[in-house]
Amino acid sequence: MAERSNSSWLRNLVSFSSDPKSFLLNVAVEGFVDDLLKDLNSESLNEQTKVSMLNLFLEFPTLLCPDKTSGEVTTEILLNILQQVSPSSKGITLRCHLLLAIETVLITTDNFNGNCKTAQEFASLLMHIISDINDKKQGAVNRPLRAVACECLRELENCYPGLLSQRLEQLYALQQQEVTSAHQSYTILYSIALKNAIHLLAQKDGPSNGALKQILMSNDSFLWNATKDMRELRPASGEQLFLLPSNNETKELKSMLALLLEDSYLLTSVCQNTLFWQIIQVVAMVRTISPAIFKSQLVRLFGTKDISCFHSILQMKAVFTDSLFTAEDEHFLLQRLVGMTLHPLLSTPVKLFYLDCLLHFPENRPLNSNPGENLPVLLTVQMTASLFPNIFNDGHTMLCRQNLLSMVYLENEGFHAERGIGYLFEHLMSLYSMVDKNASRETTATFFRAAYLFVRYFHFCEKYMENLTRSLLGLYETNSTLAPYFINLINQTQVLLEFQPWPVSLSRALQRQIVELPVDQVTLKNLPWHLKVLSRVAQENTVPQTCTVMFLRKVVTQSDLCLKGDWGLGNALLSVCKHVLQHDHLNKVFMSLADLLQYLMHHFADIDIQDRSRLYYILLTNVSSDKLGKILNMSPTGGQTKARSLSSIMTESENFSTLLTIHNTEKTILLLSPYQMNFKADIEEKYQKLFCIILQFDLTDGFYEPIGDIIVPCLYMGRKAPVVTVNLVPKDPYPSYLIVNATFSTQDGLTYHTRLDPLPVSFPELFVPFPSPASCHLFYTLWNALKSDDLKDNEESIFCYKMSESSLHDVVLSYFSKFVVSHKGHEYKIGLVLPPRFHILMCAQVQDGTAQFHIRTDNWKLLPHMNAHLLDVSANT
């Protein structure tokens, strides 16, 4: 297969990434991977395209290499490519991505083992790369590659714990000698390798007998069998591993750990957290090292506002508890957490993290082992007084504070706790007032969540619960559109308070408020919401439904509801009837419900509602209550077989649901080119006549305005392909891709959905010529105006390519003929307009056998795309 261009590969990469499985239905995996590997060696592709190609191996390794053999072959080829790439600064990004791709494929295809030659070579290569400490051999240009190699070894050590356990001496020497910015990567790599090596030793019972010193000083090959019988270390779980080294071994290990802790100052906060966690686990295993080794770090960490470093303190406390932290330290940490939740310079997510830490605080002496939210014993009402929520907080902060304070007031007794509950209820009523005055959707949702929290913790306070019920009823009376919030509140509180009466009492109160409404106050605007609430209330077997059925009869007989025949309202009515049919006390409303259903089947204007009313009436009068519930709760697809339980009374066909379903095609069947739509090759006969094709376009970026659907009436195999015009309105004139989906019908009446190949929007398609006849004057005016200016986006550039004057003439004639403003001898003035407001001007001529395109533009970001286009057209001459 011939080498593809940059644009061709980018189209394929976008198509693959958007839907890999559909892409591979049309293209063989082996062939696609072969093309990828072949063109990675191509000199015609730029580095960015090759990096994008390698990203496929990072994101979809198991799709591209589905078995062990293909993974081994692929990594061998990638390793050969890596060794051929020039070590210059231009190829550093490509080399880094090659390392990552090789590692990913080796791990995901289970090829990283001692039996794989490529794995052995790759591991040795990584060690060779990181051995160039302080950029002595390759220079600073190679530093990013060393950092990536460290990350690769770190990932391998995490996937195969103990792999580097026999190379600790070399890793420690490299870590100590490295003084560049890569020191951080070496430190983290060594700390993880050290922790896993000690973990291996700790699995053996009894004292180390010199094994610890031996492994600290080892410099052998990789330990390929390290992953056998490994268990995950959880220091705080109670299922710990212990190591008992000698005094000399303890002293040597402690010295190394102390040096690592001293180096923590040089690391970023996230890496400090990683380093601390590895050392914490080492100290937890080696019982002869005291946790007091962290004391010098605690002084600094106690005062930090960095979230990663503070998290390290909590990790230390969870593991070492009172062996490192005193009761005073614990009290100080709680005060510190409370203060951090109020810090004005911290963002809301960080403050919420600290609030969550209060509810999961690792206490020295916890009262229970519940892994969920627990209130620290030392967290008092007075300490949390400053955390009281107010209406100026954002919704998340408000709810988290309310949740914490509710637990505080629930766990404490006395005057302060009682007053705190009252304050929380006042806060809830403040939110209620805002919602009652048509607050935003976010405020409304926050109020109902706050109501849920209040019910959760204080449902036993009858005074507050009665007031809350009255407030909720008043809110529903003024704004029935909040019905979904009420239904959700009832559902959630009922799950929470299974044996408490409040959810049912709220349901009964809402029912009473609705059924007592006069008919003239029931409008088409509020009736749908009332019916939703009544439908939910009908599911409560302890709430009588006589008044609900009487209310529905009154509405349908005393209004023009049936005459209007609104299908949506009819369905809402029947939804209430369906739940009443399943009520435990159906016999009490039997006659009233039968009259209601009869009235609907004879008077409702919509035929579908009439039919469903007739069905419910037949079920009510002919089926026992036990069978009625089973029938009405039956899933649409039936049971295990296609047998029809209601074949004698239901006339709908089994194919009815099939006709209403949109099916997905097994593979792409349509092809959309720039100007027409056609079939792909090898199309099944049922797809050879398509009707009412709706093309839907999704943008992959924000460069263009949204594109409306395009409808193609029909498409027949063998007939002339219809012309399809896609109108683009650019916001920024950059190349892009459109994700195209099509929905269509076939001759058998079924509806299908298929995804088309991404539609590319190439850079040349955005070119618009200068207006005539003033184009020449406009060109020279703009040429003088578009001189490079640091204060504007104007920029100048030059593109050179070796070609003759005749070749330049062919290029201009083939690709820029519509845009030539003037032509004198072998010099061409070319003007391009790129909507909505940008321009590219070019003066092209040949000097000394080289074509020179002098370019000026008012948007410097367009130059890379123009350069790539000129490179493509010049290469084709």
Side-chain angles (χ1 to χ4, degrees), residues 383-444:
M383 192 183 297
T384 58
S386 58
L387 294 179
F388 198 85
N390 60 73
I391 59 175
F392 299 107
N393 297 134
D394 65 278
H396 295 292
T397 301
M398 202 183 301
L399 293 171
C400 288
R401 289 187 178 186
Q402 181 185 343
N403 182 53
L404 174 66
L405 289 175
S406 297
M407 295 180 68
V408 171
Y409 298 145
L410 192 64
E411 293 292 331
N412 291 272
E413 298 179 355
F415 169 73
H416 293 292
E418 289 290 337
R419 186 172 62 177
I421 297 175
Y423 285 159
L424 285 179
F425 187 77
E426 289 179 9
H427 167 69
L428 185 61
M429 290 300 99
S430 299
L431 287 175
Y432 160 77
S433 300
M434 296 172 65
V435 176
D436 194 37
K437 296 176 182 177
N438 296 321
S440 65
R441 181 177 179 181
E442 180 183 358
T443 304
T444 302

Side-chain angles (χ1 to χ4, degrees), residues 38-196:
K38 176 184 176 183
D39 285 0
L40 280 171
N41 266 325
S42 172
E43 295 183 359
S44 62
L45 296 182
N46 59 42
E47 184 181 7
Q48 184 56 47
T49 301
K50 292 182 179 180
V51 168
S52 300
M53 294 162 69
L54 288 171
N55 282 338
L56 295 188
F57 290 105
L58 300 179
E59 296 181 32
F60 311 100
T62 54
L63 286 177
L64 297 177
C65 305
D67 53 61
K68 199 169 182 178
T69 304
S70 61
E72 185 173 2
V73 172
T74 299
T75 52
E76 184 179 357
I77 297 173
L78 289 174
L79 189 59
N80 290 333
I81 294 173
L82 173 63
Q83 293 168 347
Q84 295 172 17
V85 176
S86 170
S88 64
S89 59
K90 293 183 178 180
I92 192 67
T93 304
L94 180 59
R95 294 171 70 197
C96 291
H97 278 77
L98 279 166
L99 286 179
L100 296 172
I102 295 169
E103 178 198 40
T104 301
V105 176
L106 282 173
I107 293 174
T108 54
T109 58
D110 199 23
N111 273 301
F112 195 83
N113 53 65
N115 298 323
C116 178
K117 182 181 177 182
T118 304
Q120 295 179 12
E121 292 179 359
F122 179 66
S124 300
L125 176 63
L126 292 176
M127 290 301 299
H128 174 73
I129 292 174
I130 69 170
S131 298
D132 181 24
I133 54 173
N134 300 320
D135 308 318
K136 291 180 179 178
K137 297 178 182 178
Q138 299 291 337
V141 69
N142 201 50
R143 192 179 303 165
L145 187 68
R146 291 195 295 123
V148 170
C150 284
E151 293 304 315
C152 287
L153 285 169
R154 174 183 169 186
E155 187 68 24
L156 290 172
E157 179 64 22
N158 282 325
C159 292
Y160 308 99
L163 177 71
L164 300 173
S165 60
Q166 295 181 348
R167 311 201 74 154
L168 290 182
E169 183 182 24
Q170 181 183 4
L171 292 176
Y172 183 67
L174 294 174
Q175 186 268 338
Q176 289 293 302
Q177 296 176 49
E178 181 65 42
V179 295
T180 69
S181 58
H183 175 80
Q184 176 171 270
S185 299
Y186 284 81
T187 301
I188 298 300
L189 173 61
Y190 176 70
S191 66
I192 294 176
L194 176 64
K195 182 262 296 182
N196 287 339

